Amino acid sequence: MKHKTIRGYIRYTSKKPERLDQERGREFFTLTTQSDHTLVMQAHCEIDDEPNVIRDVVHAMHLNGSPIDCNVRLTVGDQYEGTGWFRFEEDLATCEMHNRKDGRISQRIITKGTIPWLQSHPIVGDGLLMKLYDLSKGIGKQMIKDFMLTSPDHRGATGPMLFKMAQMSIEYLGEEQITIAAGSFNARHFAVGDTAGSLLEEHPPYHVWVTADDDYLFLKAGAAGYMQTHYELESVSYYT
């Protein structure tokens, strides 16, 4: 085969004292690196916390993380919420969406060049987001500007439609060996922050570990603050 596929399962748990380590959701994903240097992320995401969320995403991107196209379908509180299709060109982002509350919406947004990232909300995508950090500059903090989300909600439970975000930071904290449910890995440790003024509500501090290779495979993550959530790769398989 001329492509490589990674399939895996991520478990969502709570770190709140009254729910410590209780399962609160799950994600089944596929990452396929195609021979034309396109990376396609497919993810089925389930959040059990009320109102429960089911999200299905097919998201194609360049190997540097910049988006090509994306499809998102949402169910919230056991009801259809919306479905959206997104396309990105050098100076243009478009969306065709249908939402339970708002009906049919079309968006056409002029951009300053190709946007660097589309946050479509699968947890496995949080690992790929770390590709935007320039490792040649070593440990430190870098700002990511003028990217987009399919929902400004922290759970990705609205829309889906294009939402512009001014900035956030990615901080690189170095490499370390970690052991998780899926095994032991040499990992890169990152932290995401500085979202104040860009989101409807500032995202709590968020630490992410990914494989220390070109895959940037998500390994584990944790959000502090009011969220107190933990995400961990439970199993993974590689196909070439």
Side-chain angles (χ1 to χ4, degrees):
M1 291 190 294
K2 295 182 180 180
H3 61 273
K4 178 177 73 173
T5 297
I6 304 172
R7 294 192 178 101
Y9 161 55
I10 297 168
R11 185 169 179 253
Y12 306 173
T13 57
S14 175
K15 289 300 180 182
K16 294 180 179 179
E18 68 275 16
R19 299 179 60 193
L20 188 62
D21 296 330
Q22 291 183 14
E23 185 170 3
R24 52 175 293 276
R26 62 214 56 85
E27 180 172 312
F28 304 90
F29 69 84
T30 300
L31 301 174
T32 301
T33 304
Q34 300 181 355
S35 58
D36 63 354
H37 305 293
T38 298
L39 173 60
V40 179
M41 172 181 71
Q42 301 180 56
H44 172 79
C45 316
E46 301 176 358
I47 303 173
D48 299 335
D49 301 337
E50 295 297 333
N52 68 310
V53 177
I54 299 174
R55 184 191 316 105
D56 289 284
V57 176
V58 180
H59 181 162
M61 64 190 79
H62 300 287
L63 294 184
N64 65 0
S66 63
I68 301 171
D69 55 63
C70 181
N71 296 275
V72 179
R73 190 183 196 279
L74 283 173
T75 298
V76 180
D78 295 317
Q79 294 186 74
Y80 163 78
E81 182 66 20
T83 184
W85 174 82
F86 306 86
R87 175 71 185 175
F88 302 88
E89 300 172 59
E90 184 175 354
D91 298 300
L92 180 67
T94 55
C95 169
E96 296 293 332
M97 183 270 279
H98 181 274
N99 182 274
R100 177 173 59 89
K101 299 175 183 177
D102 304 312
R104 177 68 182 269
I105 295 175
S106 297
Q107 291 176 286
R108 181 181 175 89
I109 300 174
I110 302 299
T111 62
K112 298 178 181 179
T114 304
I115 69 168
W117 179 254
L118 174 70
Q119 183 68 0
S120 55
H121 291 284
I123 295 298
V124 69
D126 293 347
L128 301 176
L129 169 61
M130 302 307 129
K131 289 187 172 194
L132 276 64
Y133 187 94
D134 184 355
L135 288 174
S136 69
K137 297 181 179 179
I139 291 174
K141 182 186 287 189
Q142 298 173 13
M143 300 304 297
I144 310 301
K145 297 181 180 292
D146 300 323
F147 62 100
M148 293 185 177
L149 305 91
T150 60
S151 168
D153 178 68
H154 292 171
R155 305 197 313 161
T158 60
M161 62 188 301
L162 285 172
F163 181 86
K164 293 191 291 185
M165 188 162 172
Q167 68 174 30
M168 70 175 171
S169 66
I170 299 178
E171 183 178 6
Y172 178 46
L173 301 170
E175 290 194 13
E176 53 191 82
Q177 286 289 130
I178 66 170
T179 298
I180 57 173
S184 295
F185 298 86
N186 187 31
R188 297 185 183 122
H189 180 188
F190 295 90
V192 178
D194 297 306
T195 62
S198 295
L199 290 172
L200 300 180
E201 181 179 3
E202 183 173 9
H203 197 289
Y206 185 50
H207 285 252
V208 181
W209 286 258
V210 302
T211 53
D213 55 27
D214 292 339
D215 291 331
Y216 283 76
L217 176 65
F218 175 90
L219 297 175
K220 70 173 183 176
Y226 81 92
M227 296 178 76
Q228 296 185 57
T229 52
H230 179 78
Y231 309 91
E232 187 167 322
L233 182 67
E234 291 281 315
S235 63
V236 62
S237 299
Y238 295 81
Y239 304 87
T240 56

